[in-house]
Amino acid sequence: MMPAGIAPSPAPAESVAGLPTADFFNFESMLNAGEQAKLAELRVFLAREVAPFAAAWWNKAEFPAHILPKLAALELSAPAQRGYSNLFAGLVIAEITRVDTSLATFFLVHHDLFVESLYGFGSEEQKERLLEDAASLRTTGAFALTEPEHGSDVAGGMETVARRVPGGAPDGGDSWVLNGAKRWIGNGTFCDYMLVWARDEADGGIRGFIVDATLPGVSRSRIENKIALRTVQNADIVFKDVQVAESDRFAGINSFEDTNELLRGSRIMVAWQGVGQQLAAFDVARQYAVERRQFGRPLAKFQLVQQQLVTMLGNAVASMGMMVRIAQLQDQGAADMPQVALAKSYVSARMRETVGMGRSLLGGNGIVTDYRMAKIFADAEAIYTYEGSFEINTLIVGRAVTGVSAIV
Ligand SMILES: Cc1cc2nc3c(=O)[nH]c(=O)nc-3n(C[C@H](O)[C@H](O)[C@H](O)COP(=O)(O)OP(=O)(O)OC[C@H]3O[C@@H](n4cnc5c(N)ncnc54)[C@H](O)[C@@H]3O)c2cc1C
């Protein structure tokens, strides 16, 4: 039963009237005026178009494709190309996550993996052909790396193969034939294009291909029954003798190292999701603690409740501080993989503690999505695992600081 006076879906990303926001050190003030105005515009969009509906989409596991034109109108794709800072790009992901982690994941897969891959590794012809529609979300993309039998070890274990066929294309040029399977591919059920990573049968090198999702031989099925990011449509995808033109191969990808460069960028954005999750958990828990009464007084009056709220806030602020420094290192072109891995593993661990406290602070209401916290709590599990699991990122740092690899 809903306690009197508590709205089931409190307005996100807002402080309780007169109280400070979860960005307690005001990192947002480090943005320039234009970026702050754009973030405010994003917040209006999220409050109107996303917040009231996010729990229903999640419950029904439905992706809200109808909001994409309005999201595109904010012109947030490829922030570096638009002159935005790395801090702004990170805060955008945190802010979308703060309202709906699933939408942030859609955004991240499409923009930070698909669109950024085109910018980084696409030929001029590929950019000309694909970028404009992708940047404005008239087409959507996916990033297909993980396989049913290879997640953490996909670099060495990749089983999807590509075979070059000289003269195989209708115009007499070379083509490729792809065979294999991918798993967990976000946006995979509905995307127009997917970036598929495969091992070249000739030399064992990793190649990247832009695959039109409607090509013969591509079959996709939705992964059902998820307990996290239910709004995101993850797919199992099978490639059976799929013919791809040489002009759809990424000329710039010749090894897993090239792929790693992309993953470093998206890993930073996933760590920012860990920040957004904590801001959201604090927002919801603080509002609940102030409004919910037990023993004739608000929960906020109890010292143990205040201690948990302050721990949550401290976790969020420490995570944000780390990410702000990562953004500065990115600006200098100096954010290396061990630093990014430390950020992802540290923020994920803090996030798990923060959302756990938040969930318990809502008592029974913490396990129903009507109060937002249950969704935040569950979505944390996906962030903990994807873009390099907590353990793998920890071991990347362990290797860097000891000179000894404990991964294999
Ligand atoms: C919601 C969601 C969305 C995703 N979206 C995409 C996507 O769009 N595209 C894509 O390509 N992939 C995607 N993934 C896949 C994701 O990147 C993988 O789940 C992740 O890399 C882990 O792989 P795995 O699930 O196969 O786990 P495994 O690699 O099987 O690991 C299982 C457990 O063992 C641990 N482990 C493995 N190896 C070691 C080791 N050497 N030392 C210590 N511990 C170890 C892991 O940390 C983990 O706890 C997504 C996953 C999820 C859950």
Side-chain angles (χ1 to χ4, degrees), residues 167-386:
D171 65 358
D174 290 358
S175 68
W176 294 79
V177 177
L178 301 185
N179 277 288
K182 297 289 177 180
R183 180 161 170 79
W184 283 119
I185 308 313
N187 311 344
T189 57
F190 60 78
C191 64
D192 300 290
Y193 298 98
M194 50 186 105
L195 302 184
V196 180
W197 307 96
R199 191 174 296 287
D200 188 338
E201 278 186 356
D203 62 7
I206 299 295
R207 310 275 176 253
F209 299 90
I210 305 166
V211 176
D212 178 332
T214 61
L215 281 177
V218 175
S219 51
R220 339 186 236 179
S221 53
R222 186 167 95 151
I223 296 177
E224 304 286 351
N225 307 326
K226 290 188 297 171
I227 64 151
L229 296 183
R230 288 176 54 75
T231 311
V232 176
Q233 309 292 302
N234 291 97
D236 274 310
I237 304 179
V238 175
F239 302 90
K240 177 128 182 48
D241 295 328
V242 178
Q243 300 213 22
V244 181
E246 163 68 3
S247 58
D248 282 327
R249 182 176 69 81
F250 272 141
I253 298 278
N254 289 302
S255 69
F256 200 78
E257 282 310 301
D258 298 326
T259 317
N260 259 338
E261 199 181 313
L262 276 171
L263 295 176
R264 191 179 57 222
S266 56
R267 192 158 295 183
I268 291 170
M269 291 305 163
V270 171
W272 276 109
Q273 282 195 296
V275 169
Q277 283 269 114
Q278 296 185 70
L279 299 176
F282 177 80
D283 288 340
V284 175
R286 191 250 309 263
Q287 177 166 359
Y288 196 87
V290 168
E291 295 181 358
R292 166 80 167 170
R293 296 177 74 85
Q294 288 295 290
F295 300 95
R297 64 202 66 182
L299 291 181
K301 186 93 169 65
F302 300 113
Q303 291 176 346
L304 288 177
V305 170
Q306 289 203 3
Q307 189 210 17
Q308 288 182 76
L309 284 174
V310 173
T311 301
M312 293 170 71
L313 181 65
N315 284 348
V317 172
S319 299
M320 251 179 134
M322 194 180 255
M323 294 315 300
V324 169
R325 178 62 187 145
I326 289 280
Q328 290 172 338
L329 289 170
Q330 282 179 287
D331 291 341
Q332 297 158 14
D336 69 19
M337 190 54 123
Q339 290 167 327
V340 170
L342 180 61
K344 205 273 178 173
S345 89
Y346 176 83
V347 171
S348 318
R350 297 285 66 75
M351 170 190 66
R352 235 187 184 183
E353 182 182 47
T354 302
V355 303
M357 283 182 175
R359 204 233 42 82
S360 105
L361 269 175
L362 266 74
N365 289 330
I367 67 159
V368 282
T369 54
D370 312 71
Y371 289 81
R372 290 189 66 214
M373 189 63 84
K375 176 169 163 289
I376 297 165
F377 176 81
D379 286 345
E381 290 306 298
I383 293 172
Y384 198 74
T385 290
Y386 67 30

Side-chain angles (χ1 to χ4, degrees), residues 9 50-60 100 231 369-370 372 375:
S9 294
V50 179
F53 316 106
W57 299 331
W58 197 94
N59 289 338
K60 288 190 239 160
D100 184 21
T231 311
T369 54
D370 312 71
R372 290 189 66 214
K375 176 169 163 289

Side-chain angles (χ1 to χ4, degrees), residues 31 75 108 115 131 136 158 161 173 175 189 207 213 274 323 337 358:
L31 299 176
E75 301 189 323
L108 200 155
V115 175
L131 261 178
S136 54
M158 191 178 296
V161 287
S175 68
T189 57
R207 310 275 176 253
M323 294 315 300
M337 190 54 123

